[in-house]
Each structure stands twice: as structure tokens, then as C-alpha cells.
């Protein structure tokens, strides 16, 4: 049974295949209209979402399938049913499970149901976002391998999945994060063992200098709201403004997984810049997820 909990669970060839299929689906949006007819995706949300929910729902609809939005509080999970029992029941009704969770271990527990499980986001990883990221880079740079991305800010789940993507696509990654906010050492080690070129620094300018793309994310994720004021002070040197963006290559693009806190991690002038590709990046969530669903469901 194939799942998509981490990019590292898939080979470089499999990831390349997903990206090729996603590009094909984007170029011909009317294709595969009936490929998932009669198929159902259960979508468990412990966290609210715009892009994850709408991209998967729209993607399933475009492929002829059905997506069910299941807020955790509306399930028996909210009354004490175990994750494993919920998975076993959902697997009797649906063909795959998408879950957006706090604890990454909950995704492993969902796999006991016997249908494919997709990580829609966890505290550790956000692999669906990374698929959209690398497709966007390929569209705007013509390739992925050898492209240098500077990631600024928190070494969070988005950063972790970019690290994984570097190991599977040949992307070069420079990460600038303040002390104590670096990405997990085990994730870095696994990617480097897989051949990824990853540099760590605390200096934002050093990371951005000559980079082909500049990427940032919010400084306080869901569940960290009580730390927002403290994090704003710590991460202020990593704000992507016009001066910092100008340190990148002249044709560098700007990436952000969204939602953006304008004025914190990025200024209006950068996110609305002519070389900002954040809206393409958001759209590509749907195309890569359609490719993923088709692959997981054998269609």
C-alpha cells in the first residue's frame, strides 16, 4: 500500500513522474475528467485550511470523484474514538484519506485502515506543499536540479519538506534561521545522505546572495499564536523586503506557501513584485495533488 506521508517515502523517479503528470494535467485541464468517477476521498482536518481543502476538493471534482470534508470535532475522534478505529471505518466507505493534523504520528496511525493516506500537513512535514513548490520552480526556471533556493525563517514543516524535496530533485537549498529555530537534525542528515546540497546559516543576506529563488513562511504557525510577539522580534532580521530580495540573482523569483502575514515575514513590495510567483505556487497545489491522487488510486 502506497502512502504519501513524506517525500522521502518516494524515489526520485517517482517524484519526477508526479511532476510530469502534474504538468500534463495543468496544460490540459479538461483531461482525466472521469478518471476518479465513483471514488471518494475522506479529508480529516484537525487544523483549518484554505489551500489544502479547496485544492483537494476541486481536484477530486475535476477528476470526477468526491471529497468529504471532515472536521475532527465533528467526528467521533472528538468524543474519544481512537485514530486507528476511525481509519478502519473510513476505509470501509472511502478510497483514500487525506489528513491535516498536529501530531505527525497520527498519520502513521491512519495507515492501519488499508487505504492510501496523504499528509495534508503535520507538525513535522508538509509534502504536498513541496510538490507544488518544485513544480513552480521548474515552470519558471526551466529545471529543478542545480537551482538554488534560499529559505528564510523558521525551520518548520515547510522547510523540512523542502529539504526532502532537495534530496529527491537535486535542488540546492540554503537555509537561514535564527539559533534554536533550525530544521530537525535527523531530517537534514537523511537528506544529505541522499545527496542533497544544503547549507545552514544564521545570516539572511548570506543565504540570499545570488540565489535563484527566495522562499519564506509565517513566523508563527497554527498552535504557536502565544509565541507570535516573541517570534516577531527574533525573526525580524529575516524579513524579505526589497533590499534583501535585491541581493538574490537579477531574475530570482519569490516563493511563499501562504497565507502570508504581510509586513512580518514579507513586505507588500516583495509579495506583489513582478517576480513573485506565489499565486502560481498556490494554483500548483491542485495540479500536483491531482497527479498524486491519480497515482495513489491507480488511475
Amino acid at each position: 500500500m502506497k502512502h504519501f506521508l513524506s517525500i522521502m517515502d518516494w524515489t526520485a523517479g517517482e517524484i519526477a513522474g508526479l511532476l510530469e503528470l502534474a504538468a500534463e494535467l495543468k496544460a490540459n485541464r479538461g483531461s482525466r475528467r472521469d478518471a476518479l468517477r465513483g471514488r471518494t476521498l475522506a479529508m480529516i482536518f484537525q487544523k483549518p485550511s484554505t489551500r489544502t481543502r479547496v485544492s483537494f476538493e476541486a481536484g477530486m471534482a475535476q477528476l470526477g470523484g468526491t471529497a468529504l470534508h471532515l472536521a475532527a470535532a465533528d467526528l467521533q475522534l472528538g468524543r474519544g474514538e481512537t485514530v486507528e478505529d476511525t481509519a478502519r471505518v473510513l476505509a470501509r466507505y472511502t478510497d483514500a484519506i487525506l489528513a491535516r493534523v498536529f501530531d505527525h504520528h497520527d498519520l502513521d496511525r491512519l495507515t492501519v485502515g488499508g487505504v492510501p493516506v496523504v499528509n495534508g500537513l503535520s507538525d513535522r512535514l508538509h509534502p504536498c506543499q513541496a510538490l507544488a513548490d518544485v513544480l513552480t520552480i521548474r515552470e519558471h526556471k526551466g529545471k529543478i536540479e542545480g537551482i538554488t533556493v534560499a529559505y528564510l525563517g523558521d525551520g518548520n514543516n515547510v522547510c523540512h519538506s523542502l529539504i526532502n524535496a532537495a534530496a529527491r530533485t537535486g535542488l540546492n537549498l540554503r537555509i537561514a534561521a535564527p539559533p534554536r529555530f533550525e530544521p530537525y537534525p535527523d531530517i537534514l542528515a537523511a537528506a544529505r545522505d541522499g545527496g542533497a546540497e544544503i547549507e545552514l546559516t544564521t545570516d539572511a543576506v548570506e543565504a540570499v546572495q545570488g540565489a535563484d529563488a527566495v522562499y519564506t513562511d509565517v513566523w508563527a504557525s497554527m498552535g504557536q499564536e502565544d509565541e507570535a510577539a516573541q517570534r516577531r522580534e527574533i525573526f525580524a532580521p529575516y524579513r524579505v523586503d526589497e533590499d534583501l530580495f535585491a541581493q538574490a540573482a537579477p531574475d530570482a523569483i519569490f516563493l511563499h506557501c501562504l497565507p502570508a502575514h504581510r509586513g512580518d515575514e514579507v513586505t507588500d513590495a516583495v509579495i506583489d513584485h513582478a517576480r513573485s510567483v506565489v499565486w502560481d505556487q498556490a494554483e500548483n497545489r491542485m495540479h500536483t495533488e491531482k497527479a498524486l491522487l491519480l497515482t495513489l488510486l491507480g488511475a
Side-chain angles (χ1 to χ4, degrees):
M1 177 62 61
K2 195 76 171 176
H3 304 288
F4 191 68
L5 307 189
S6 167
I7 284 178
M8 295 296 278
D9 296 337
W10 292 49
T11 67
E14 288 171 333
I15 295 299
L18 282 179
L19 296 175
E20 287 294 334
L21 179 54
E24 173 193 322
L25 292 167
K26 184 174 183 177
N28 186 3
R29 300 190 189 207
S31 67
R32 314 289 182 102
R33 282 291 183 183
D34 295 319
L36 295 183
R37 182 171 298 279
R39 305 290 191 96
T40 303
L41 174 68
M43 306 194 305
I44 300 173
F45 284 85
Q46 294 179 357
K47 295 183 176 185
S49 166
T50 298
R51 277 148 292 275
T52 299
R53 177 180 177 178
V54 177
S55 60
F56 270 101
E57 284 195 8
M60 279 296 286
Q62 290 178 20
L63 295 171
T66 300
L68 304 176
H69 176 261
L70 306 170
D74 296 333
L75 297 171
Q76 293 299 326
L77 282 169
R79 299 178 60 195
E81 184 174 53
T82 68
V83 172
E84 291 85 354
D85 287 353
T86 297
R88 293 182 181 104
V89 170
L90 290 177
R92 298 298 180 102
Y93 304 142
T94 67
D95 300 283
I97 298 172
L98 163 75
R100 185 174 172 91
V101 301
F102 287 96
D103 186 350
H104 187 83
H105 179 55
D106 282 349
L107 295 165
D108 295 315
R109 298 169 68 189
L110 285 168
T111 63
V112 305
V115 296
V117 176
V118 176
N119 179 359
L121 176 144
S122 70
D123 57 352
R124 183 175 175 87
L125 297 170
H126 198 356
C128 290
Q129 180 62 54
L131 283 181
D133 298 340
V134 292
L135 179 62
T136 306
I137 290 167
R138 192 178 83 162
E139 286 177 345
H140 287 272
K141 293 297 176 183
K143 63 177 184 176
I144 304 168
E145 186 172 5
I147 295 296
T148 298
V149 176
Y151 175 90
L152 310 181
D154 192 12
N156 59 14
N157 48 10
V158 170
C159 180
H160 291 158
S161 284
L162 274 177
I163 292 169
N164 290 344
R168 291 294 183 259
T169 64
L171 189 73
N172 297 328
L173 193 56
R174 299 182 197 152
I175 300 167
R180 299 186 300 107
F181 293 93
E182 301 94 343
Y184 292 172
D186 64 313
I187 290 176
L188 276 171
R192 284 169 168 161
D193 288 346
E197 294 288 336
I198 301 171
E199 301 174 37
L200 283 183
T201 181
T202 58
D203 188 324
V205 174
E206 180 183 346
V208 169
Q209 196 74 45
D212 301 302
V214 178
Y215 196 136
T216 192
D217 189 12
V218 295
W219 293 339
S221 299
M222 281 178 283
Q224 298 172 334
E225 289 81 4
D226 57 340
E227 304 173 21
Q230 179 187 19
R231 283 171 170 260
R232 190 172 290 114
E233 182 177 346
I234 293 170
F235 285 102
Y238 300 87
R239 176 179 294 112
V240 184
D241 58 18
E242 285 184 288
D243 289 341
L244 183 57
F245 190 44
Q247 299 297 314
D251 60 348
I253 57 176
F254 175 73
L255 297 156
H256 193 305
C257 60
L258 303 178
H261 291 172
R262 291 169 176 254
D264 282 350
E265 73 274 7
V266 61
T267 61
D268 286 344
V270 173
I271 198 169
D272 295 328
H273 196 282
R275 285 185 276 114
S276 171
V277 297
V278 299
W279 314 119
D280 292 340
Q281 194 181 355
E283 179 187 336
N284 284 339
R285 286 288 304 275
M286 183 178 69
H287 303 303
T288 50
E289 288 159 6
K290 287 169 68 175
L292 178 62
L293 290 167
L294 287 169
T295 302
L296 286 172
L297 295 176

